[in-house]
Coordinates of all heavy atoms in Angstrom, one line a residue:
M1 N 1.7 -44.4 -14.0 CA 2.5 -44.7 -15.2 C 2.6 -46.2 -15.3 O 2.5 -47.0 -14.4 CB 3.8 -44.1 -15.0 CG 4.9 -44.7 -16.0 SD 6.0 -43.4 -16.6 CE 6.1 -44.0 -18.3
A2 N 2.7 -46.6 -16.6 CA 2.9 -48.0 -16.8 C 4.2 -48.5 -16.2 O 5.1 -47.7 -15.9 CB 3.1 -48.2 -18.4
R3 N 4.3 -49.8 -15.9 CA 5.5 -50.4 -15.3 C 6.5 -50.5 -16.4 O 6.2 -50.7 -17.6 CB 5.2 -51.8 -14.7 CG 4.6 -51.8 -13.4 CD 4.5 -53.2 -12.9 NE 3.7 -54.1 -13.8 CZ 4.2 -55.2 -14.3 NH1 5.4 -55.7 -13.9 NH2 3.5 -56.0 -15.1
V4 N 7.8 -50.5 -16.0 CA 8.9 -50.8 -16.9 C 9.6 -52.0 -16.4 O 10.0 -52.0 -15.3 CB 9.9 -49.6 -17.0 CG1 11.0 -49.9 -17.9 CG2 9.2 -48.3 -17.4
T5 N 9.6 -53.1 -17.2 CA 10.3 -54.3 -16.8 C 11.8 -54.1 -17.1 O 12.2 -53.4 -18.0 CB 9.8 -55.5 -17.5 OG1 10.0 -55.5 -18.9 CG2 8.3 -55.7 -17.2
L6 N 12.6 -54.8 -16.3 CA 14.1 -54.6 -16.3 C 14.8 -55.9 -16.8 O 16.0 -55.9 -16.7 CB 14.6 -54.2 -15.0 CG 14.0 -52.9 -14.4 CD1 14.5 -52.7 -13.0 CD2 14.3 -51.8 -15.3
G7 N 14.2 -56.8 -17.4 CA 14.9 -58.1 -17.8 C 15.6 -57.9 -19.1 O 15.8 -56.8 -19.6
H8 N 15.9 -59.0 -19.7 CA 16.6 -59.0 -21.0 C 15.8 -58.4 -22.1 O 16.3 -57.9 -23.1 CB 17.1 -60.4 -21.4 CG 18.2 -60.9 -20.5 ND1 19.4 -60.3 -20.5 CD2 18.2 -61.9 -19.6 CE1 20.2 -60.9 -19.7 NE2 19.5 -61.9 -19.1
N9 N 14.5 -58.5 -22.0 CA 13.5 -58.0 -23.0 C 12.7 -56.9 -22.3 O 11.5 -57.2 -21.9 CB 12.6 -59.1 -23.5 CG 13.4 -60.2 -24.2 OD1 14.2 -59.9 -25.1 ND2 13.2 -61.4 -23.9
P10 N 13.2 -55.7 -22.1 CA 12.5 -54.7 -21.4 C 11.2 -54.3 -22.1 O 11.1 -54.4 -23.4 CB 13.4 -53.5 -21.4 CG 14.4 -53.8 -22.4 CD 14.5 -55.2 -22.6
E11 N 10.2 -54.0 -21.4 CA 8.9 -53.6 -22.0 C 8.1 -52.7 -21.0 O 8.4 -52.6 -19.8 CB 8.1 -54.8 -22.3 CG 7.7 -55.7 -21.1 CD 7.0 -57.0 -21.5 OE1 6.8 -57.2 -22.7 OE2 6.8 -57.8 -20.6
L12 N 7.2 -51.9 -21.6 CA 6.2 -51.1 -20.9 C 5.0 -52.0 -20.7 O 4.6 -52.7 -21.6 CB 5.8 -49.9 -21.7 CG 6.9 -48.9 -22.0 CD1 6.4 -47.8 -23.0 CD2 7.4 -48.2 -20.7
V13 N 4.5 -52.0 -19.5 CA 3.3 -52.9 -19.1 C 2.3 -52.0 -18.4 O 2.6 -51.3 -17.5 CB 3.8 -54.0 -18.2 CG1 2.5 -54.9 -17.9 CG2 4.9 -54.9 -18.8
D14 N 1.1 -52.0 -19.0 CA 0.0 -51.3 -18.4 C -1.2 -52.2 -18.5 O -1.8 -52.3 -19.6 CB -0.2 -50.0 -19.1 CG -1.3 -49.1 -18.5 OD1 -1.7 -49.4 -17.3 OD2 -1.8 -48.1 -19.1
G15 N -1.6 -52.8 -17.4 CA -2.7 -53.8 -17.4 C -2.3 -54.9 -18.4 O -1.3 -55.6 -18.2
D16 N -3.2 -55.1 -19.4 CA -2.9 -56.2 -20.4 C -2.1 -55.7 -21.5 O -1.7 -56.6 -22.4 CB -4.3 -56.7 -20.9 CG -5.1 -57.5 -19.8 OD1 -4.5 -57.9 -18.9 OD2 -6.3 -57.5 -20.0
R17 N -1.8 -54.5 -21.6 CA -1.0 -53.9 -22.7 C 0.5 -54.1 -22.4 O 0.9 -53.7 -21.4 CB -1.4 -52.5 -23.0 CG -2.8 -52.3 -23.5 CD -3.1 -50.9 -23.8 NE -2.6 -49.9 -22.8 CZ -2.4 -48.6 -23.0 NH1 -2.5 -48.1 -24.2 NH2 -2.0 -47.9 -22.0
R18 N 1.2 -54.5 -23.4 CA 2.6 -54.7 -23.3 C 3.3 -54.1 -24.6 O 2.7 -54.3 -25.7 CB 3.0 -56.1 -23.2 CG 2.6 -56.8 -21.9 CD 2.9 -58.2 -21.8 NE 2.6 -58.8 -20.5 CZ 3.4 -58.8 -19.5 NH1 4.6 -58.3 -19.5 NH2 2.9 -59.3 -18.3
L19 N 4.4 -53.5 -24.4 CA 5.1 -52.9 -25.6 C 6.6 -53.0 -25.3 O 7.1 -52.5 -24.3 CB 4.7 -51.5 -25.8 CG 5.3 -50.8 -27.0 CD1 4.7 -51.5 -28.3 CD2 4.9 -49.3 -27.0
R20 N 7.3 -53.7 -26.2 CA 8.7 -53.9 -26.1 C 9.4 -52.6 -26.3 O 9.1 -51.8 -27.2 CB 9.3 -54.9 -27.1 CG 9.0 -56.3 -26.7 CD 10.3 -57.1 -26.6 NE 10.0 -58.3 -25.9 CZ 10.3 -59.5 -26.4 NH1 10.8 -59.6 -27.6 NH2 10.0 -60.5 -25.7
I21 N 10.5 -52.3 -25.5 CA 11.4 -51.2 -25.7 C 12.8 -51.7 -25.7 O 13.1 -52.8 -25.2 CB 11.2 -50.1 -24.6 CG1 11.4 -50.7 -23.2 CG2 9.8 -49.4 -24.7 CD1 11.4 -49.6 -22.1
T22 N 13.7 -51.0 -26.4 CA 15.1 -51.5 -26.4 C 15.8 -51.2 -25.1 O 15.3 -50.3 -24.3 CB 15.8 -50.7 -27.5 OG1 16.0 -49.3 -27.2 CG2 15.1 -50.8 -28.9
P23 N 16.9 -51.9 -24.8 CA 17.6 -51.6 -23.6 C 18.0 -50.1 -23.5 O 17.9 -49.5 -22.4 CB 18.8 -52.5 -23.7 CG 18.3 -53.6 -24.5 CD 17.4 -53.0 -25.5
M24 N 18.4 -49.5 -24.6 CA 18.8 -48.1 -24.5 C 17.6 -47.2 -24.2 O 17.6 -46.2 -23.5 CB 19.5 -47.6 -25.8 CG 20.3 -46.3 -25.5 SD 21.6 -46.0 -26.7 CE 22.7 -47.3 -26.3
E25 N 16.4 -47.5 -24.8 CA 15.2 -46.7 -24.6 C 14.8 -46.9 -23.1 O 14.4 -45.9 -22.4 CB 14.0 -47.3 -25.4 CG 14.1 -46.9 -26.9 CD 13.1 -47.6 -27.8 OE1 12.5 -48.6 -27.3 OE2 12.9 -47.1 -28.9
R26 N 15.0 -48.1 -22.5 CA 14.7 -48.3 -21.1 C 15.6 -47.4 -20.3 O 15.1 -46.8 -19.3 CB 15.0 -49.8 -20.8 CG 14.7 -50.0 -19.3 CD 15.2 -51.4 -18.8 NE 16.6 -51.4 -19.0 CZ 17.3 -52.5 -19.1 NH1 16.8 -53.7 -19.0 NH2 18.6 -52.5 -19.2
L27 N 16.9 -47.3 -20.6 CA 17.8 -46.4 -19.8 C 17.3 -45.0 -19.9 O 17.3 -44.3 -18.9 CB 19.2 -46.5 -20.3 CG 20.0 -47.7 -19.8 CD1 21.4 -47.7 -20.5 CD2 20.2 -47.7 -18.3
I28 N 17.0 -44.5 -21.1 CA 16.5 -43.1 -21.2 C 15.2 -42.9 -20.4 O 15.1 -41.9 -19.7 CB 16.2 -42.8 -22.7 CG1 17.5 -42.8 -23.5 CG2 15.5 -41.5 -22.9 CD1 17.4 -42.8 -25.0
L29 N 14.3 -43.8 -20.5 CA 13.1 -43.7 -19.7 C 13.3 -43.7 -18.2 O 12.8 -42.9 -17.5 CB 12.1 -44.9 -20.1 CG 10.8 -44.9 -19.4 CD1 10.0 -43.5 -19.6 CD2 9.9 -46.0 -19.8
L30 N 14.2 -44.6 -17.7 CA 14.4 -44.7 -16.3 C 15.1 -43.4 -15.8 O 14.8 -42.9 -14.7 CB 15.3 -45.9 -16.0 CG 14.6 -47.2 -16.1 CD1 15.5 -48.4 -15.9 CD2 13.4 -47.3 -15.1
V31 N 16.0 -42.8 -16.6 CA 16.6 -41.5 -16.3 C 15.6 -40.4 -16.2 O 15.5 -39.6 -15.3 CB 17.8 -41.2 -17.3 CG1 18.3 -39.8 -17.0 CG2 18.9 -42.2 -17.1
A32 N 14.7 -40.4 -17.2 CA 13.7 -39.4 -17.3 C 12.7 -39.5 -16.1 O 12.2 -38.5 -15.6 CB 12.9 -39.4 -18.6
M33 N 12.4 -40.7 -15.7 CA 11.5 -40.9 -14.6 C 12.1 -40.5 -13.2 O 11.4 -40.1 -12.3 CB 11.1 -42.4 -14.5 CG 10.3 -42.9 -15.6 SD 10.1 -44.7 -15.6 CE 9.1 -45.0 -14.2
G34 N 13.4 -40.5 -13.2 CA 14.1 -40.1 -11.9 C 14.5 -38.7 -11.8 O 15.1 -38.3 -10.7
R35 N 14.3 -37.9 -12.8 CA 14.8 -36.5 -12.8 C 13.7 -35.6 -13.3 O 13.0 -35.9 -14.3 CB 16.0 -36.3 -13.6 CG 17.2 -37.2 -13.2 CD 18.4 -37.0 -14.1 NE 19.5 -37.9 -13.7 CZ 20.7 -37.7 -14.1 NH1 21.0 -36.7 -14.8 NH2 21.6 -38.6 -13.7
P36 N 13.6 -34.3 -12.8 CA 12.7 -33.4 -13.4 C 13.1 -32.9 -14.8 O 12.2 -32.6 -15.6 CB 12.6 -32.2 -12.4 CG 13.9 -32.4 -11.6 CD 14.3 -33.8 -11.6
L37 N 14.4 -32.8 -15.1 CA 14.9 -32.4 -16.4 C 16.1 -33.2 -16.7 O 17.0 -33.2 -15.8 CB 15.2 -30.9 -16.3 CG 15.5 -30.3 -17.7 CD1 14.3 -30.2 -18.6 CD2 16.1 -28.9 -17.4
V38 N 16.2 -33.8 -17.9 CA 17.3 -34.6 -18.3 C 18.1 -33.9 -19.4 O 17.5 -33.6 -20.4 CB 16.9 -36.0 -18.8 CG1 18.1 -36.8 -19.2 CG2 16.1 -36.7 -17.7
T39 N 19.3 -33.6 -19.2 CA 20.1 -32.9 -20.2 C 20.7 -34.0 -21.2 O 20.9 -35.2 -20.8 CB 21.3 -32.1 -19.6 OG1 22.2 -33.0 -19.0 CG2 20.7 -31.1 -18.7
R40 N 21.1 -33.6 -22.4 CA 21.7 -34.5 -23.3 C 23.1 -34.9 -22.7 O 23.4 -36.1 -22.9 CB 21.9 -33.8 -24.7 CG 20.6 -33.5 -25.4 CD 20.8 -32.7 -26.6 NE 21.5 -33.3 -27.7 CZ 21.0 -34.1 -28.6 NH1 19.8 -34.5 -28.5 NH2 21.8 -34.7 -29.5
D41 N 23.8 -34.0 -22.1 CA 25.1 -34.4 -21.5 C 24.9 -35.6 -20.4 O 25.7 -36.5 -20.4 CB 25.8 -33.2 -20.8 CG 26.3 -32.3 -21.8 OD1 26.5 -32.6 -23.0 OD2 26.6 -31.1 -21.4
A42 N 23.8 -35.5 -19.7 CA 23.5 -36.5 -18.7 C 23.2 -37.8 -19.4 O 23.7 -38.9 -18.9 CB 22.4 -36.1 -17.8
L43 N 22.5 -37.8 -20.5 CA 22.2 -39.0 -21.2 C 23.4 -39.6 -21.8 O 23.6 -40.8 -21.7 CB 21.2 -38.7 -22.3 CG 19.7 -38.6 -21.9 CD1 18.8 -38.3 -23.1 CD2 19.2 -39.9 -21.2
V44 N 24.3 -38.8 -22.3 CA 25.5 -39.3 -22.9 C 26.4 -40.0 -21.9 O 26.9 -41.1 -22.1 CB 26.4 -38.2 -23.6 CG1 27.8 -38.6 -23.9 CG2 25.7 -37.6 -24.8
E45 N 26.5 -39.4 -20.7 CA 27.3 -40.0 -19.6 C 26.7 -41.4 -19.1 O 27.4 -42.3 -18.8 CB 27.4 -39.1 -18.4 CG 28.2 -37.9 -18.7 CD 28.3 -36.9 -17.5 OE1 27.9 -37.3 -16.4 OE2 28.7 -35.8 -17.7
I46 N 25.3 -41.5 -19.2 CA 24.7 -42.7 -18.7 C 24.7 -43.8 -19.8 O 24.9 -44.9 -19.6 CB 23.2 -42.4 -18.3 CG1 23.3 -41.6 -16.9 CG2 22.4 -43.6 -18.1 CD1 22.0 -40.9 -16.6
L47 N 24.4 -43.3 -21.1 CA 24.4 -44.3 -22.2 C 25.7 -44.8 -22.6 O 25.9 -46.0 -22.9 CB 23.7 -43.7 -23.4 CG 22.2 -43.3 -23.2 CD1 21.7 -42.6 -24.4 CD2 21.3 -44.5 -22.9
W48 N 26.7 -43.9 -22.5 CA 28.1 -44.3 -22.9 C 29.1 -43.8 -21.8 O 29.7 -42.8 -22.0 CB 28.5 -43.7 -24.2 CG 27.6 -44.2 -25.3 CD1 27.6 -45.4 -25.9 CD2 26.5 -43.4 -26.0 NE1 26.6 -45.4 -26.9 CE2 25.9 -44.3 -26.9 CE3 26.0 -42.1 -25.8 CZ2 24.9 -43.8 -27.7 CZ3 25.0 -41.7 -26.6 CH2 24.4 -42.6 -27.5
P49 N 29.1 -44.5 -20.6 CA 29.9 -44.1 -19.5 C 31.4 -44.0 -19.9 O 32.1 -43.2 -19.3 CB 29.7 -45.1 -18.4 CG 28.8 -46.1 -19.0 CD 28.4 -45.7 -20.3
N50 N 31.9 -44.8 -20.8 CA 33.2 -44.8 -21.3 C 33.3 -43.9 -22.5 O 32.8 -44.3 -23.6 CB 33.8 -46.2 -21.6 CG 35.2 -46.2 -22.0 OD1 35.8 -45.1 -22.4 ND2 35.8 -47.4 -22.0
P51 N 33.9 -42.7 -22.4 CA 34.0 -41.8 -23.6 C 34.5 -42.5 -24.9 O 34.2 -42.1 -26.0 CB 34.9 -40.7 -23.2 CG 34.8 -40.7 -21.7 CD 34.6 -42.1 -21.3
D52 N 35.4 -43.5 -24.7 CA 36.0 -44.2 -25.9 C 34.9 -45.0 -26.6 O 35.1 -45.3 -27.8 CB 37.1 -45.1 -25.4 CG 38.3 -44.4 -24.9 OD1 38.5 -43.2 -25.3 OD2 39.0 -44.9 -24.1
N53 N 33.8 -45.3 -26.0 CA 32.7 -46.1 -26.6 C 31.6 -45.2 -27.2 O 30.7 -45.8 -27.8 CB 32.1 -47.1 -25.6 CG 33.1 -48.1 -25.2 OD1 34.0 -48.4 -25.9 ND2 32.9 -48.7 -24.0
Q54 N 31.7 -43.9 -27.1 CA 30.7 -43.0 -27.6 C 30.7 -43.0 -29.1 O 31.8 -42.9 -29.7 CB 30.9 -41.6 -27.1 CG 30.6 -41.4 -25.7 CD 30.9 -40.0 -25.2 OE1 31.2 -39.1 -26.0 NE2 30.7 -39.7 -24.0
P55 N 29.6 -43.1 -29.8 CA 29.6 -43.1 -31.2 C 30.0 -41.7 -31.7 O 29.8 -40.7 -30.9 CB 28.1 -43.3 -31.6 CG 27.3 -43.3 -30.4 CD 28.2 -43.3 -29.2
D56 N 30.5 -41.6 -32.9 CA 31.0 -40.3 -33.4 C 29.9 -39.3 -33.5 O 30.1 -38.1 -33.2 CB 31.6 -40.4 -34.8 CG 32.9 -41.2 -34.7 OD1 33.6 -41.2 -33.7 OD2 33.3 -41.8 -35.7
H57 N 28.7 -39.7 -33.8 CA 27.5 -38.8 -33.9 C 26.5 -39.2 -32.9 O 25.4 -39.5 -33.2 CB 26.9 -38.9 -35.3 CG 27.9 -38.7 -36.4 ND1 28.4 -37.4 -36.7 CD2 28.6 -39.5 -37.2 CE1 29.3 -37.4 -37.6 NE2 29.4 -38.7 -38.0
W58 N 26.9 -39.1 -31.6 CA 26.0 -39.5 -30.5 C 24.7 -38.6 -30.4 O 23.7 -39.1 -30.0 CB 26.7 -39.5 -29.2 CG 27.3 -38.2 -28.8 CD1 28.6 -37.8 -28.9 CD2 26.7 -37.1 -28.1 NE1 28.8 -36.5 -28.4 CE2 27.7 -36.1 -27.9 CE3 25.4 -36.8 -27.7 CZ2 27.4 -34.8 -27.4 CZ3 25.1 -35.6 -27.2 CH2 26.1 -34.6 -27.0
G59 N 24.8 -37.4 -30.9 CA 23.6 -36.5 -30.9 C 22.5 -37.1 -31.7 O 21.3 -37.2 -31.3
G60 N 22.8 -37.6 -32.9 CA 21.8 -38.2 -33.8 C 21.3 -39.5 -33.2 O 20.2 -39.9 -33.3
S61 N 22.2 -40.3 -32.6 CA 21.8 -41.5 -31.9 C 20.8 -41.3 -30.8 O 19.8 -42.0 -30.7 CB 23.1 -42.2 -31.4 OG 22.8 -43.5 -30.8
I62 N 21.0 -40.3 -30.0 CA 20.1 -40.0 -29.0 C 18.8 -39.5 -29.6 O 17.7 -40.0 -29.1 CB 20.7 -38.9 -28.0 CG1 21.8 -39.5 -27.2 CG2 19.6 -38.3 -27.1 CD1 22.5 -38.5 -26.3
N63 N 18.8 -38.7 -30.6 CA 17.6 -38.2 -31.2 C 16.7 -39.4 -31.7 O 15.5 -39.4 -31.5 CB 17.9 -37.2 -32.4 CG 18.4 -35.9 -31.9 OD1 18.3 -35.6 -30.7 ND2 19.0 -35.2 -32.8
V64 N 17.3 -40.3 -32.4 CA 16.6 -41.5 -32.9 C 16.0 -42.3 -31.8 O 14.8 -42.6 -31.9 CB 17.6 -42.4 -33.8 CG1 16.9 -43.7 -34.1 CG2 18.0 -41.6 -35.0
R65 N 16.7 -42.5 -30.8 CA 16.2 -43.3 -29.6 C 15.1 -42.6 -28.9 O 14.1 -43.2 -28.5 CB 17.3 -43.7 -28.7 CG 18.1 -44.8 -29.3 CD 19.4 -45.0 -28.6 NE 20.1 -46.2 -29.0 CZ 21.0 -46.2 -30.1 NH1 21.1 -45.1 -30.8 NH2 21.6 -47.3 -30.4
V66 N 15.2 -41.3 -28.7 CA 14.2 -40.5 -28.0 C 12.9 -40.4 -28.9 O 11.8 -40.6 -28.3 CB 14.7 -39.1 -27.7 CG1 13.5 -38.1 -27.3 CG2 15.7 -39.1 -26.6
M67 N 13.0 -40.2 -30.2 CA 11.8 -40.2 -31.0 C 11.1 -41.6 -31.0 O 9.9 -41.6 -30.9 CB 12.2 -39.9 -32.5 CG 12.6 -38.4 -32.7 SD 11.3 -37.3 -32.2 CE 10.0 -37.7 -33.3
S68 N 11.9 -42.7 -31.1 CA 11.3 -44.0 -31.0 C 10.6 -44.2 -29.7 O 9.4 -44.7 -29.6 CB 12.3 -45.1 -31.2 OG 11.8 -46.3 -31.0
L69 N 11.2 -43.8 -28.6 CA 10.6 -44.0 -27.2 C 9.4 -43.1 -27.1 O 8.4 -43.5 -26.5 CB 11.7 -43.6 -26.2 CG 11.2 -43.8 -24.7 CD1 10.7 -45.2 -24.4 CD2 12.3 -43.4 -23.8
R70 N 9.5 -41.9 -27.6 CA 8.3 -41.0 -27.6 C 7.1 -41.6 -28.2 O 6.0 -41.5 -27.7 CB 8.7 -39.6 -28.2 CG 7.6 -38.6 -28.1 CD 8.0 -37.3 -28.8 NE 9.0 -36.6 -27.9 CZ 10.1 -36.0 -28.3 NH1 10.4 -35.9 -29.6 NH2 10.9 -35.4 -27.5
R71 N 7.3 -42.2 -29.4 CA 6.1 -42.8 -30.1 C 5.5 -43.9 -29.3 O 4.3 -44.1 -29.2 CB 6.6 -43.3 -31.5 CG 6.7 -42.2 -32.5 CD 6.8 -42.8 -33.9 NE 8.0 -43.7 -34.1 CZ 9.2 -43.3 -34.4 NH1 9.4 -42.0 -34.7 NH2 10.2 -44.1 -34.6
K72 N 6.4 -44.7 -28.6 CA 5.9 -45.8 -27.8 C 5.2 -45.3 -26.5 O 4.2 -45.8 -26.2 CB 7.1 -46.7 -27.4 CG 7.7 -47.5 -28.6 CD 8.9 -48.2 -28.3 CE 9.5 -48.9 -29.5 NZ 10.7 -49.7 -29.3
L73 N 5.8 -44.3 -25.9 CA 5.2 -43.8 -24.7 C 3.8 -43.2 -24.9 O 2.9 -43.3 -24.1 CB 6.1 -42.7 -24.1 CG 7.3 -43.2 -23.4 CD1 8.2 -42.0 -23.0 CD2 7.0 -44.0 -22.2
E74 N 3.6 -42.6 -26.1 CA 2.3 -41.9 -26.4 C 1.2 -42.9 -26.5 O 0.1 -42.6 -26.2 CB 2.5 -41.1 -27.7 CG 3.3 -39.9 -27.6 CD 3.6 -39.1 -28.8 OE1 3.3 -39.7 -30.0 OE2 4.1 -38.0 -28.7
K75 N 1.5 -44.2 -26.8 CA 0.5 -45.2 -26.8 C 0.0 -45.5 -25.3 O -1.0 -46.1 -25.1 CB 1.0 -46.5 -27.4 CG 1.3 -46.4 -28.9 CD 2.0 -47.6 -29.4 CE 2.3 -47.4 -30.9 NZ 3.0 -48.5 -31.5
F76 N 0.8 -45.1 -24.3 CA 0.5 -45.3 -22.9 C 0.1 -44.0 -22.2 O 0.0 -43.9 -21.0 CB 1.7 -45.9 -22.2 CG 1.9 -47.4 -22.5 CD1 2.5 -47.8 -23.7 CD2 1.4 -48.4 -21.7 CE1 2.7 -49.1 -24.0 CE2 1.5 -49.7 -22.0 CZ 2.2 -50.1 -23.2
G77 N -0.1 -42.9 -23.0 CA -0.6 -41.7 -22.5 C 0.5 -40.8 -21.9 O 0.3 -39.9 -21.1
W78 N 1.8 -41.0 -22.3 CA 2.9 -40.2 -21.8 C 3.8 -39.7 -23.0 O 3.7 -40.3 -24.1 CB 3.8 -41.0 -20.9 CG 3.2 -41.4 -19.6 CD1 2.3 -42.4 -19.4 CD2 3.3 -40.6 -18.4 NE1 1.9 -42.4 -18.1 CE2 2.5 -41.3 -17.4 CE3 4.0 -39.5 -18.0 CZ2 2.4 -40.8 -16.1 CZ3 3.9 -39.1 -16.7 CH2 3.1 -39.7 -15.8
T79 N 4.6 -38.7 -22.8 CA 5.5 -38.3 -23.8 C 6.8 -37.7 -23.2 O 6.8 -37.5 -22.0 CB 4.9 -37.2 -24.8 OG1 5.7 -37.1 -25.9 CG2 4.6 -35.9 -24.1
L80 N 7.8 -37.6 -24.0 CA 9.0 -36.9 -23.6 C 9.0 -35.5 -24.3 O 9.0 -35.4 -25.5 CB 10.3 -37.6 -24.0 CG 10.6 -38.8 -23.2 CD1 11.7 -39.6 -23.9 CD2 11.1 -38.4 -21.8
L81 N 8.9 -34.5 -23.5 CA 8.9 -33.1 -24.0 C 10.4 -32.6 -24.0 O 11.1 -33.0 -23.1 CB 8.0 -32.2 -23.3 CG 6.5 -32.6 -23.3 CD1 5.7 -31.6 -22.4 CD2 6.0 -32.5 -24.8
A82 N 10.7 -31.7 -24.9 CA 12.1 -31.2 -25.0 C 12.0 -29.7 -25.0 O 11.1 -29.1 -25.6 CB 12.8 -31.7 -26.2
W83 N 13.0 -29.1 -24.3 CA 13.2 -27.7 -24.3 C 14.6 -27.5 -24.9 O 15.6 -27.8 -24.2 CB 13.1 -27.1 -22.9 CG 13.2 -25.7 -22.7 CD1 13.3 -24.7 -23.7 CD2 13.2 -25.0 -21.5 NE1 13.3 -23.5 -23.1 CE2 13.3 -23.6 -21.8 CE3 13.1 -25.3 -20.1 CZ2 13.3 -22.6 -20.8 CZ3 13.1 -24.4 -19.2 CH2 13.2 -23.0 -19.5
K84 N 14.6 -27.0 -26.1 CA 15.9 -26.9 -26.8 C 17.0 -26.2 -26.0 O 16.8 -25.1 -25.5 CB 15.7 -26.1 -28.1 CG 16.9 -26.2 -29.0 CD 16.6 -25.7 -30.4 CE 17.8 -25.8 -31.2 NZ 17.6 -25.6 -32.6
G85 N 18.1 -26.9 -25.9 CA 19.2 -26.3 -25.2 C 19.2 -26.5 -23.7 O 20.1 -26.2 -23.0
R86 N 18.0 -27.0 -23.2 CA 17.9 -27.2 -21.7 C 17.8 -28.7 -21.3 O 18.5 -29.2 -20.4 CB 16.6 -26.6 -21.2 CG 16.5 -25.1 -21.4 CD 17.4 -24.4 -20.5 NE 17.3 -22.9 -20.8 CZ 17.4 -22.0 -19.9 NH1 17.6 -22.3 -18.6 NH2 17.4 -20.8 -20.2
G87 N 16.9 -29.5 -22.0 CA 16.8 -30.9 -21.7 C 15.4 -31.4 -22.0 O 14.7 -30.7 -22.8
M88 N 15.1 -32.5 -21.5 CA 13.8 -33.1 -21.7 C 13.2 -33.7 -20.4 O 13.9 -33.9 -19.4 CB 13.9 -34.2 -22.8 CG 14.7 -35.5 -22.3 SD 14.9 -36.6 -23.6 CE 16.2 -35.9 -24.5
W89 N 11.9 -33.9 -20.5 CA 11.2 -34.4 -19.3 C 10.0 -35.2 -19.7 O 9.5 -35.1 -20.8 CB 10.8 -33.3 -18.3 CG 9.7 -32.3 -18.9 CD1 8.4 -32.4 -18.7 CD2 10.0 -31.2 -19.8 NE1 7.8 -31.4 -19.4 CE2 8.7 -30.7 -20.1 CE3 11.1 -30.6 -20.3 CZ2 8.5 -29.6 -20.9 CZ3 10.9 -29.5 -21.2 CH2 9.7 -29.0 -21.4
L90 N 9.6 -36.1 -18.8 CA 8.5 -37.0 -19.0 C 7.2 -36.3 -18.5 O 7.2 -35.7 -17.5 CB 8.8 -38.3 -18.2 CG 7.8 -39.4 -18.3 CD1 7.9 -40.0 -19.8 CD2 8.2 -40.5 -17.4
E91 N 6.2 -36.4 -19.4 CA 4.9 -35.7 -19.0 C 3.7 -36.5 -19.5 O 3.8 -37.1 -20.5 CB 4.9 -34.3 -19.6 CG 3.7 -33.5 -19.1 CD 3.9 -32.0 -19.5 OE1 4.8 -31.4 -19.0 OE2 3.1 -31.6 -20.3
K92 N 2.7 -36.5 -18.6 CA 1.4 -37.2 -19.0 C 0.8 -36.3 -20.0 O 0.7 -35.1 -20.0 CB 0.6 -37.2 -17.7 CG -0.7 -37.9 -17.9 CD -0.6 -39.4 -17.8 CE -1.9 -40.1 -17.8 NZ -2.0 -41.2 -18.7
I93 N 0.2 -37.0 -21.0 CA -0.5 -36.3 -22.1 C -1.9 -36.0 -21.6 O -2.6 -36.9 -21.0 CB -0.6 -37.2 -23.4 CG1 0.8 -37.5 -23.9 CG2 -1.5 -36.6 -24.4 CD1 0.8 -38.5 -25.0
D94 N -2.4 -34.8 -21.9 CA -3.7 -34.4 -21.4 C -4.7 -35.1 -22.2 O -4.8 -35.1 -23.4 CB -3.8 -32.9 -21.7 CG -5.2 -32.3 -21.1 OD1 -5.9 -33.1 -20.5 OD2 -5.4 -31.1 -21.4
D95 N -5.6 -35.9 -21.5 CA -6.6 -36.6 -22.2 C -7.7 -35.8 -22.8 O -8.5 -36.3 -23.6 CB -7.3 -37.6 -21.2 CG -6.3 -38.7 -20.8 OD1 -5.4 -39.0 -21.5 OD2 -6.5 -39.2 -19.6
A96 N -7.8 -34.5 -22.4 CA -8.9 -33.7 -22.9 C -8.6 -33.2 -24.4 O -9.5 -32.7 -25.0 CB -9.0 -32.4 -22.0
S97 N -7.4 -33.4 -24.9 CA -7.2 -32.9 -26.2 C -7.8 -33.7 -27.3 O -8.0 -34.9 -27.2 CB -5.7 -32.9 -26.6 OG -4.9 -32.7 -25.5

């Protein structure tokens, strides 16, 4: 998998290719890399550890960030797959398609 940098300007790095990701996308990616299945509840707890700071419509906020990250990951041969009601996971895209 491509490297994920952890500085102020996080990015995906694969050889000479670099792609900026947002700090929140970086958190989602790091969580997905560390677990076989990531639930929305787990993401909410990690992205907004203080319930008072959670946006009113956090579900939509997560969806937007996951879709953006998914598009970026696909450029590196990876995607985030989702199983409705269960969670999501990181998976290598089959090059044969």
Side-chain angles (χ1 to χ4, degrees):
M1 163 142 218
R3 280 185 304 126
V4 179
T5 64
L6 301 175
H8 290 295
N9 298 312
E11 60 187 358
L12 296 171
V13 180
D14 185 16
D16 292 337
R17 296 185 309 159
R18 294 176 176 274
L19 185 63
R20 283 237 165 122
I21 57 176
T22 68
M24 197 159 293
E25 289 171 343
R26 179 191 65 200
L27 280 174
I28 293 169
L29 180 57
L30 291 174
V31 170
M33 290 170 69
R35 300 179 185 196
L37 186 70
V38 180
T39 65
R40 290 171 69 82
D41 289 342
L43 281 178
V44 169
E45 289 177 18
I46 290 165
L47 297 174
W48 300 285
N50 181 345
D52 294 334
N53 293 337
Q54 290 177 4
D56 291 335
H57 303 286
W58 58 261
S61 182
I62 288 176
N63 290 345
V64 167
R65 286 167 171 85
V66 167
M67 287 302 297
S68 173
L69 180 58
R70 183 178 285 140
R71 282 193 299 272
K72 292 174 182 180
L73 287 171
E74 287 173 352
K75 295 176 183 177
F76 285 83
W78 291 84
T79 192
L80 282 171
L81 295 176
W83 185 2
K84 189 172 182 170
R86 302 283 180 149
M88 67 185 80
W89 65 96
L90 189 62
E91 188 168 293
K92 182 83 170 129
I93 297 171
D94 185 6
D95 293 331
S97 330

